[in-house]
Amino acid sequence: MYEKQTAVLNCPCKEFPPMENPSPILTAYREARRRAGRNTSPQTGILRRLFAKTQASPADFVPVLVAVGEDSPLEGFEWPGSETPEAFRQRLLSLAVEDGGALLRRMADQRKEDYAEDGFNWPDQEVLGEMAGGETVDRFLGISDFHGKTIPLALAEIPVKNPWEVFAYVPFGGWNECPCNEEQMAAAKYWYEKYGAVPAVITRDVLEYDLPAPVRREEAMALALEQYAFCPDIVDQGCGTVGYLADTLAKSDKWYFWWD
């Protein structure tokens, strides 16, 4: 199953079977990030000048930990129409990426309209809550099961120049309230350019981002509202309030999204 699923990605992959200690996985991911250099760092301009001086070429790939097996986003995925994985990939890469900020505002407006139709405000004061009580998330949560053992993973070196383009290779979303691949690309581009956030873990229903540092506290509440519009389950079935999420974002260099 590993070979069949990773063949769809059409890129170098390293297999990691389940293990008690995730350290080898995280070490390999960090090393791949280092080799990828400019493309997964917000310090793009500095690194480009460095490589220009040394006449070396930075790698053109973005490393992503992709679940394989039954937890994989590739398991049972039905390609649109009669598209092949390659046609799907080329189509998405040829599209103009939508303005991510506009996309997130539209999502928020739609949720406000839906709630208003039922006589409610979105989000109400109870769901907003205070910006307090959050936890520090400094590790990838989606790579482990409920018993703490890692799930089967592939460290894929996705051959793209921009982090948001990984969603042209890894099919994800488009079911229930989970945004489709095109919307994932738009949000990823927006958050990368604003915060340096890079898609790092993709499973069947979990998406995680890696950041160079937590967002500034004064930005965290607005970001939490964006993320709540993008993925309501992280609040409604997760932390409970936008304020709690905002406090977590101000302390964390990892972002976690999960859709039911």
Side-chain angles (χ1 to χ4, degrees), residues 170-192:
V170 185
F172 183 78
W175 42 267
N176 295 348
E177 289 191 309
C178 185
C180 65
N181 278 61
E182 293 91 333
E183 293 169 329
Q184 295 286 352
M185 290 177 71
K189 183 175 187 291
Y190 171 74
W191 283 328
Y192 173 74

Side-chain angles (χ1 to χ4, degrees), residues 9 19 33 55 63-64 66 72 76 82-83 91 98-99 117 137 144 152 186 200 215 223 228 234 239-240 256 258:
L9 300 176
M19 56 185 69
R33 282 289 305 269
Q55 295 184 334
V64 181
V66 181
S72 176
S82 59
E83 279 188 323
R91 177 173 60 83
E98 181 180 0
D99 182 300
E117 289 178 0
V137 181
S144 301
V215 301
L223 173 61
Y228 184 34
I234 56 174
C239 62
Y256 177 88
W258 168 79

Side-chain angles (χ1 to χ4, degrees), residues 3-208:
E3 289 79 8
K4 180 180 179 181
Q5 290 181 344
T6 56
V8 173
L9 300 176
N10 193 30
C11 69
C13 293
K14 181 177 181 180
E15 182 179 8
F16 288 96
M19 56 185 69
E20 300 290 342
N21 184 354
S23 293
I25 300 170
L26 301 178
T27 298
Y29 174 76
R30 287 192 294 268
E31 168 61 17
R33 282 289 305 269
R34 186 193 66 77
R35 286 188 291 109
R38 65 178 178 126
N39 299 319
T40 55
S41 168
Q43 306 300 329
T44 299
I46 296 174
L47 285 167
R48 277 180 177 164
R49 290 193 294 272
L50 175 61
F51 281 111
K53 290 180 180 179
T54 60
Q55 295 184 334
S57 298
D60 282 330
F61 72 88
V62 175
V64 181
L65 290 165
V66 181
V68 293
E70 62 182 17
D71 290 316
S72 176
L74 302 165
E75 176 65 14
F77 181 80
E78 296 183 5
W79 301 96
S82 59
E83 279 188 323
T84 64
E86 178 61 23
F88 174 85
R89 181 158 43 246
Q90 293 304 319
R91 177 173 60 83
L92 264 64
L93 290 175
S94 69
L95 295 175
V97 180
E98 181 180 0
D99 182 300
L103 167 70
L104 294 168
R105 289 191 294 273
R106 188 171 71 251
M107 287 181 168
D109 289 343
Q110 184 61 58
R111 301 201 188 284
K112 289 177 183 177
E113 290 180 13
D114 293 343
Y115 274 65
E117 289 178 0
D118 296 327
F120 299 102
N121 293 322
W122 183 94
D124 61 26
Q125 288 301 314
E126 184 176 350
V127 173
L128 273 176
E130 296 182 4
M131 188 174 165
E135 58 183 308
T136 299
V137 181
D138 56 5
R139 66 192 187 284
F140 295 130
L141 305 175
I143 66 173
S144 301
D145 60 23
F146 291 114
H147 304 290
K149 195 173 185 179
T150 64
I151 62 176
L153 294 163
L155 176 57
E157 297 184 359
I158 309 293
V160 293
K161 294 184 178 181
N162 301 302
W164 56 89
E165 293 172 332
V166 300
F167 293 106
Y169 276 75
V170 185
F172 183 78
W175 42 267
N176 295 348
E177 289 191 309
C178 185
C180 65
N181 278 61
E182 293 91 333
E183 293 169 329
Q184 295 286 352
M185 290 177 71
K189 183 175 187 291
Y190 171 74
W191 283 328
Y192 173 74
E193 292 176 344
K194 193 167 185 179
Y195 303 111
V198 175
V201 176
I202 303 177
T203 77
R204 179 177 54 82
D205 54 6
V206 168
L207 168 64
E208 293 184 272

